[in-house]
Amino acid sequence: MRLHRLTVTAFGPFGSTQTVDFDELSAAGLFLLHGPTGAGKTSVLDAVCYALYGSVPGARQGGGGQGTSLRSDHAAPATRTEVALELTVAGRRLELTRQPPWERPKKRGTGTTLDKAQTWLREYDTTAGTWKDLSRSHQEIGEEITQLLGMSREQFCQVVLLPQGDFARFLRADAEARGKLLGRLFDTRRFADVEKRLAERRRATEAQVRDGDAALLADAHRMQQAAGDAMRLPDLAPGEPGLAEAVLDAAAVARSTAREQLTVAECTLAAAESAQASAARALDDVRELARLQRRCTEARERAAHLEEGAGAYREAQALMERARKAEAVAPALDLRESAEAEHRRAADAEARARALLPETYADAGAAGLAAAARRAAEELGGLDSARRAERRLAELLDERAGLDRQERADADVLQEAEAWLDGWEETRTALQARVDSAQQAAALAEQLAVRREPARQRLKAARLRDQLTGDTDRAVERARTAREKVLRAQQHWLDLKEQRLTGIAAELAAHLTDGEPCAVCGATEHPAPARKVAGHVDREAEEHALAAYQDADEQRAEAERNLGVVRESLAAATAEAGDTPTERLAREAEELEEQYAQARRGAAELHAARERLRQAGQEHERRVAARQEAAVRSAARVGHRERLESERAALEEELDRARGALDSVAARAAQLERRTALLTDAADAARAAEDTAQRLKDADARLADAAFRAGFDTPRDAAAALLDNAAHRELQRRLDAWQNEEAAVRAVLAEADTAAAARQRPADLTSAQLAADTAARRLREAASAHDAAVRRCAELDRLSARATASVRRLAPLREEYDRVARMAGLTAGTSADNERRMRLESYVLAARLEQVAAAATVRLRRMSSGRYTLVHSDDRTGRGRSGLGLHVVDAWTGRERDTATLSGGETFFASLALALGLADVVTDEAGGVRLDTLFIDEGFGSLDDQTLDEVLDVLDSLRERDRSVGIVSHVPDLRRRIHAQLEVVKGRSGSVLRQRGVG
């Protein structure tokens, strides 16, 4: 990920629009973001985070809501807060623009109105060279950026913005605090879920084992309820021996008794089914007799009703026969009506067309009108040549106007070129003088540049010489004090040792016991043991004195080593700086810098002066060429103008002949077109009227012939006999209904079964239904008893099978519980097998911390000149758990100690190395997204000059992999060491940004 450009408007302390060009800042590899406290250095980083994720780091959210806390108090009321960031990630160049919610003044009236937050995402299309819109959805843009970066907002703030204070606390934190930070960065929740899942499985299997015996006994009680008095349960409680065997034996006796009861119920059910079937057959016979008797009675009633409507049926048949004959005449009738309507329309159209013609064409037929139309069309075709002449005349007028414009333009060009060329020599001389002056300044700057670096090095050595002179005196004093302390500690230890040897007999006698041998002489009797004397010293006091002496001796050796290092450094600085006073060297270096800066400013004008001279020469050539071209064009226009005038006179003569008495050729053409169209329409209408009159005559003849053949006296009688579709369907329905009813009645009366049933006595349905109901009730009672016996057997079989399965399941279930319990205890760190009491999540985080420590050590060793190394420790601390310890190994002493013992400066570069290492590990964890731009916030003020140089060298080495680092600090010494700077200047109207030392 590489940042290119950041633009903020009305954001944080910036009241107006400010722009940061990260491409220019990153060109140096290392740049400084500085400014006074409260100016808004960190707000620049907040803007980057807000553009990417729509929110700023958690500690700077503010309490007034997102939109309120981000808006600048210095912004104008009508200016909206906006942050735009242009960056390249995953090979794609994107532009993110975000506007938080904004309470703007209303356009009408007083008060404010709330505008919703806005977000835009665009991508640069390298093929087309333009930006294309991708999305305006907050959710889609958030998912796209998170997927491309592979990091959440918290991870981004931790690995890109590198807050040094957080890592200093991380160095001094306990295992629990480190675990929270690492868990948030590496997302180890899945391992905590594994611990939780194993604990849940342990509780579940434990409950299953505990409830196993209770479930078995509950099944036994259910079997007793199903069997009734046929089962007797043993008087045993859950968990007692023999409970499973006793329950299974009692269940077997109950199943045998239930099967005997089922056999008796099956016999009773078979007898009831036979009786019910006989009663049902008798009831069906009686019902069938009653149905046939009702059917015969209804058929006789329908036959009488048909006899009453026979007359109406015969009349309907006559109407249907006459309508069928008239249907043969219907096509001729339709044809005659269609021909008559068509003739009326054609006659009306002919009358309208003739009304538009002059009276001379009132008696002309269709042929005469068509001939007149052809003559008018021929005359209209003769006007095409006149139209072309008219268009050419207009073009000639345009060409003549163009010649006039070109003549005026060439006159302006000649006048301007002459005026410019008059002052050419004076301009060329002045520009050449500027080039010569800039070349002299560039040569002087090269000479001064050779002298600058030696002067700087000598001044630096002189300042170091002055500093080391004082450091040498202090180191001598510390070495002397350490030697005196060693002598005192040695004398104190020797005095205590001598006192202990004096009373050693009493010390040995204190451990003598009657009957046990003496450690010195071996005797088992101790008649006169020695007594302790006043002022006796024991072994522990002697050992404490010895340890104090050894510590003092180590401090003395360390002080002498430091003294040697300081003296060597002082000799080297004195050899390089000499005896010249530092103030004099500083004045000489300052004067050299001023001369060099002045020469550089003069040399900076060289390129611009050369470019201006080159452009002036090109302009001179262009002016001369323009003057020549204008003169050539002016001569060519004279002949062209004469040709145009001759052609114009010939065209105007031709147009006068074509127009005749009218004003224009177009008016004459319109008159002929209108006459041709009217004559053509009238001829077509006359022919159509003649054709339709003949078709109407033919239709009348065909209609009369069809009516005669169908048996009608006139076509009018045939038309009256026709029926429409609805009347025809209704008449046919009545005829079909009468015929169907007659056929149905005749079929019923002809049935032999119906006639035989009519001759028998009426059926007695009541008695037959009563007998059938009694047999069905007895069958239901037998079936219910049989179903109860079947359910009893099935329930006993089911419960017995479940009880047997429960007995078989208990043994492997207990084995599973033991296995899960061991795994849960191991992952939770409570098992005796887990010697270090390390949880699974802590184990994974310890591996990550080991990777971070290894990555951080590479840079820490360089920052500390090979002295310090970060190592991961999984030792237990007190009675707590282990896994997330972090120690530092001091190569000077060979000892390993906790990172909380580091000094302020040591803590800074250790935390910086840890932050850079963590950035590398989290980047790899997030999918290997390349981070080309990093920011480091504060902490450099706690470093001395040598350590600061080493830290800056480490940061500058990141440039080898095309990465850039921005340092956020207000330490004055960094402004002299880092040339590329982004300064935040605060004022009463808000802060502004200034870029220096770039380009």
Side-chain angles (χ1 to χ4, degrees), residues 830-867:
T830 58
S831 172
D833 297 334
N834 192 335
E835 297 178 357
R836 298 189 180 278
R837 300 184 63 192
M838 189 183 299
R839 293 173 49 232
L840 176 61
E841 184 180 13
S842 298
Y843 177 77
V844 176
L845 292 177
R848 294 300 189 195
L849 183 58
E850 190 172 357
Q851 296 175 355
V852 172
T857 296
V858 175
R859 298 184 174 92
L860 179 59
R861 290 177 62 85
R862 184 172 176 182
M863 293 181 189
S864 62
S865 300
R867 178 178 179 182

Side-chain angles (χ1 to χ4, degrees), residues 910-927:
S911 63
L912 175 58
L914 185 65
L916 295 173
L918 184 61
D920 294 339
V921 175
V922 173
T923 299
D924 296 338
E925 177 73 10

Side-chain angles (χ1 to χ4, degrees), residues 41-120:
K41 298 186 296 296
T42 309
S43 295
V44 176
L45 310 184
D46 291 345
V48 173
C49 184
Y50 177 72
L52 291 173
Y53 294 96
S55 60
V56 297
R60 301 176 63 84
Q61 289 282 357
Q66 182 70 17
T68 305
S69 62
L70 297 180
R71 181 166 178 79
S72 174
D73 296 333
H74 302 283
T79 302
R80 180 161 190 175
T81 301
E82 181 179 279
V83 177
L85 177 64
E86 185 179 338
L87 74 160
T88 296
V89 58
R92 300 169 59 188
R93 184 148 184 164
L94 305 175
E95 183 188 63
L96 273 161
T97 304
R98 293 187 186 270
Q99 295 178 347
W102 178 42
E103 287 191 1
R104 61 170 177 82
K106 291 183 177 179
K107 296 180 178 179
R108 297 180 179 178
T110 60
T112 60
T113 183
L114 180 63
D115 282 352
K116 296 181 179 179
Q118 301 288 332
T119 305
W120 295 271

Side-chain angles (χ1 to χ4, degrees), residues 248-505:
L248 295 179
D249 292 342
V253 174
R255 290 199 303 274
S256 177
T257 303
R259 286 188 174 83
E260 293 176 359
Q261 294 174 353
L262 176 61
T263 302
V264 174
E266 288 175 349
C267 295
T268 304
L269 177 61
E273 287 176 346
S274 178
Q276 190 272 340
S278 298
R281 285 194 296 271
L283 178 60
D284 291 341
D285 294 341
V286 174
R287 285 175 175 170
E288 179 62 17
L289 178 61
R291 186 186 67 81
L292 292 175
Q293 289 174 350
R294 287 195 305 272
R295 182 177 177 83
C296 183
T297 302
E298 292 173 354
R300 289 171 180 171
E301 293 175 355
R302 291 162 62 188
H305 183 70
L306 287 173
E307 186 64 26
E308 293 175 358
Y313 171 70
R314 288 189 290 272
E315 292 178 0
Q317 278 185 323
L319 287 175
M320 180 60 73
E321 183 64 24
R322 188 173 176 82
R324 287 196 183 99
K325 293 179 180 180
E327 288 177 356
V329 187
L333 284 170
D334 295 339
L335 181 62
R336 200 273 173 188
E337 291 178 359
S338 175
E340 184 180 6
E342 186 178 2
H343 177 64
R344 285 197 300 269
R345 289 194 297 271
D348 293 341
E350 181 185 10
R352 289 194 298 271
R354 287 183 179 275
L356 298 175
L357 296 176
E359 294 180 358
T360 56
Y361 299 103
D363 298 331
L369 293 175
R374 285 193 299 271
R375 290 193 299 271
E378 292 173 357
E379 186 177 356
L380 177 62
L383 294 179
D384 290 341
S385 176
R387 289 194 184 96
R388 288 192 297 271
E390 198 171 37
R391 287 194 298 271
R392 177 56 183 163
L393 182 61
E395 293 174 357
L396 292 177
L397 294 177
D398 293 338
E399 288 185 21
R400 190 169 65 178
L403 291 176
D404 295 340
R405 288 193 298 271
Q406 292 176 6
E407 186 173 3
R408 290 192 297 272
D410 286 343
D412 294 339
V413 169
L414 288 172
Q415 182 179 0
E416 183 180 358
E418 292 294 342
W420 192 90
L421 291 173
D422 290 341
W424 159 242
E425 288 299 329
E426 183 179 354
T427 301
R428 185 182 62 79
T429 302
L431 292 176
Q432 185 63 46
R434 289 179 58 187
V435 171
D436 296 341
S437 176
Q439 287 178 340
Q440 294 174 1
L444 179 59
E446 292 178 358
Q447 297 173 3
L448 294 175
V450 177
R451 298 166 52 194
R452 286 174 66 234
E453 189 60 28
R456 288 180 177 178
Q457 295 296 332
R458 190 176 181 188
L459 176 61
K460 181 178 179 181
R463 289 172 176 171
L464 182 60
R465 177 198 62 195
D466 297 344
Q467 178 183 351
L468 291 176
T469 299
D471 292 346
T472 301
D473 297 339
R474 289 189 291 272
V476 169
E477 180 62 24
R478 284 195 294 269
R480 184 186 62 77
T481 303
R483 286 193 292 270
E484 294 176 354
K485 185 177 180 181
V486 168
L487 293 176
R488 288 194 300 270
Q490 183 182 22
Q491 185 62 41
H492 179 62
W493 169 59
L494 294 175
D495 293 343
L496 291 181
K497 184 175 183 181
E498 183 178 358
Q499 294 178 16
R500 181 167 177 265
L501 291 176
T502 302
I504 192 65

